[in-house]
Amino acid sequence: MEKRSFLSLMVMLVCCVTAQAQSKVWTLEECVKYAIQNNISIKQSELDSKTALIGKKDAIGNFLPSLNASASHSWNIGLNQDITTGLLRNQTTQFTSAGANVGVDIYKGLQNQNTLRKANLSIVAAKYQLLKMQEDIALNVANAFLQVLFNKENLKVQKEQLGINEKQYARSEELVKAGSIPRGDLLDIKATVAQNNQNVIAADNALLISKLSLAQLLQLEDFENFDVVDDTNMRDENNIMAQTPSAIYDKAVEGRTELKIARTNLEIAQKDVEIAKGAFQPTLQGFYSFNSRVSYADVPVFDNMGNIIGTRNSAPFFNQFGDNKGQSFGAQLSIPIFNGFSVRNNVERSKVSLERSKIAVEQQDLDLQRNVFTAFTDAKGALNAYESSVVALEARQGAYNYAKERYDVGLMNSFDFNQSQTLLTNAQSEVIRTKYDYIFKIKILEFYFGIPLIKN
């Protein structure tokens, strides 16, 4: 009995967890956080940041000495010079040689120092690029999220309208039987119900496509079971519309990522000019070299008269290696005099790139100013459009109620009544559209003002 109870409990837990997983709905904050962690474009920007860190390691490595070792072994057959006596004789000899070289830059026109500073700036630029990508993805997610909410509300409106028309169709059948309205009116309402069905199908498809778009931004595969919370409250929590466009612009100049990227790229271009100019200066390098060799040839033995009386094996390996070792060290000064204008041309190219970066900063500032003022104007216009659509909806609702009363008593034909009903549906859809358009434009203004979409 206890075993069965335990199994029953486990089955209930699994069912509860499965039901909870299927019924999970996503908030805007959850969507943005998930997208930042999983979006492919953001992952690519993270790889760019890692590449910049590797570039810094390269720059640090320029300050370290270079160490290279070499070794070789050869066989010489025939008439060879004996390395011990200096005489030529027919023999087969083997040689082993080994060496090591150490070099270090003492002075290189400050190129290494400027390269390291440039690498540090590249890391900063890569971080800004990653932040910019995260901000862009967050805005795209917010837009897609609001599009899902709009389509959900629009689908609800279309279903409600379908239900009203189906009830009206049933009511009209009774009126036709009673002889209050002609059969042609019933056919008109039947056609209206069929059109409402099409509208519901279209709205449902639009909702599915918007969910798919949002799920792709989040890198989710199961988009069919994906859903978001019904957050339909319209609000300006941060009262951003109370700010002036100039105040929003001044705040954006301090914190906008695209401006930081442009300014960092300008600093990188300045370092490129300094690196290029460093090639005009002399370079001083220190070096140290060690080498030794070993011979495996038989060494001749001479008598007092200088005649060869025999041979003996060459000295042991380590004895020869120690006896034949050699070392050299010193410093090498290189002074550039003429190099086909390559250094001068590199400097000129770097200066051109610097001017481009200066123009890019100015252009980015102008773009930011235009974008802020445009966003503020768009948000203000969206608010006015929403308020006007609300007034229009109230009027259309009143007109529809009046038309329905007249239609029910036979004082209005079905065509005019359907026209009133269509205008009401359009007014409802316009309120939904303008509401979410205003919400998104408010998010953009907050974005420029430095208010994040989600709290870290």
Side-chain angles (χ1 to χ4, degrees), residues 38-100:
N38 296 275
N39 187 267
I40 292 178
S41 299
I42 292 178
K43 290 181 179 179
Q44 290 175 340
S45 294
E46 290 174 347
L47 293 178
D48 292 337
S49 297
K50 292 181 179 180
T51 301
L53 290 173
I54 295 173
K56 181 178 180 179
K57 293 180 181 178
D58 288 336
I60 294 175
N62 293 334
F63 290 94
L64 303 177
S66 62
L67 174 62
N68 297 286
S70 61
S72 66
H73 186 85
S74 62
W75 288 263
N76 295 325
I77 302 173
L79 189 64
N80 295 300
Q81 185 180 27
D82 193 307
I83 62 172
T84 304
T85 63
L87 300 177
L88 295 175
R89 51 193 295 261
N90 285 316
Q91 59 179 348
T92 298
T93 59
Q94 298 182 52
F95 292 93
T96 298
S97 61

Side-chain angles (χ1 to χ4, degrees), residues 17 33 73 88 94 97 106 135 147 151 157 165 170 181 201 226-227 285 327 342 407 409 418 426-427 432 450:
V17 171
K33 287 183 177 180
H73 186 85
L88 295 175
Q94 298 182 52
S97 61
I106 300 175
E135 292 172 345
Q147 188 64 40
N151 287 327
V157 168
N165 286 332
I181 62 173
I201 294 173
F226 171 76
D227 202 1
Q285 291 182 318
Q327 303 179 62
S342 62
Y407 179 78
V409 297
N418 288 338
N426 293 339
I432 297 172

Side-chain angles (χ1 to χ4, degrees), residues 28 50 121 130 132 138 150 152 159 162 200 203 213 221 223 234 261 263 270 289 297 304 318 335 338 341 393 419 424:
L28 175 58
K50 292 181 179 180
L121 290 172
L130 175 59
K132 180 66 168 59
F150 164 72
K152 290 181 74 172
K159 286 182 176 180
L162 175 60
V200 169
S213 300
E221 295 181 359
F223 69 91
M234 183 176 177
I261 293 173
R263 291 165 182 163
Q270 291 171 339
S289 177
N304 295 332
F318 288 105
I335 302 174
F338 182 75
F341 302 111
L393 176 59
Q419 286 293 104
L424 174 62

Side-chain angles (χ1 to χ4, degrees), residues 180-229:
S180 301
I181 62 173
R183 180 168 294 277
D185 288 357
L186 180 63
L187 296 176
D188 287 338
I189 295 179
K190 184 177 182 180
T192 301
V193 171
Q195 182 62 48
N196 287 149
N197 272 311
Q198 293 181 1
N199 293 340
V200 169
I201 294 173
D204 190 52
N205 289 337
L207 175 60
L208 181 62
I209 292 173
S210 62
K211 287 182 179 181
L212 172 60
S213 300
L214 180 56
Q216 286 180 335
L217 281 174
L218 272 59
Q219 305 300 127
L220 292 177
E221 295 181 359
D222 188 16
F223 69 91
E224 293 183 354
N225 296 322
F226 171 76
D227 202 1
V228 301
V229 296

Side-chain angles (χ1 to χ4, degrees), residues 254-308:
E254 297 175 2
R256 285 308 312 132
T257 306
E258 54 265 31
L259 262 180
K260 292 179 180 179
I261 293 173
R263 291 165 182 163
T264 305
N265 288 336
L266 175 60
E267 295 182 52
I268 291 175
Q270 291 171 339
K271 293 303 174 186
D272 283 332
V273 173
E274 295 176 9
I275 292 171
K277 287 182 177 180
F280 280 121
Q281 300 185 32
T283 60
L284 179 62
Q285 291 182 318
F287 64 88
Y288 170 80
S289 177
F290 171 86
N291 60 80
S292 184
R293 65 186 187 278
V294 176
S295 172
Y296 300 93
D298 292 335
V299 179
V301 179
F302 300 91
D303 59 13
N304 295 332
M305 301 299 295
N307 298 317
I308 298 176

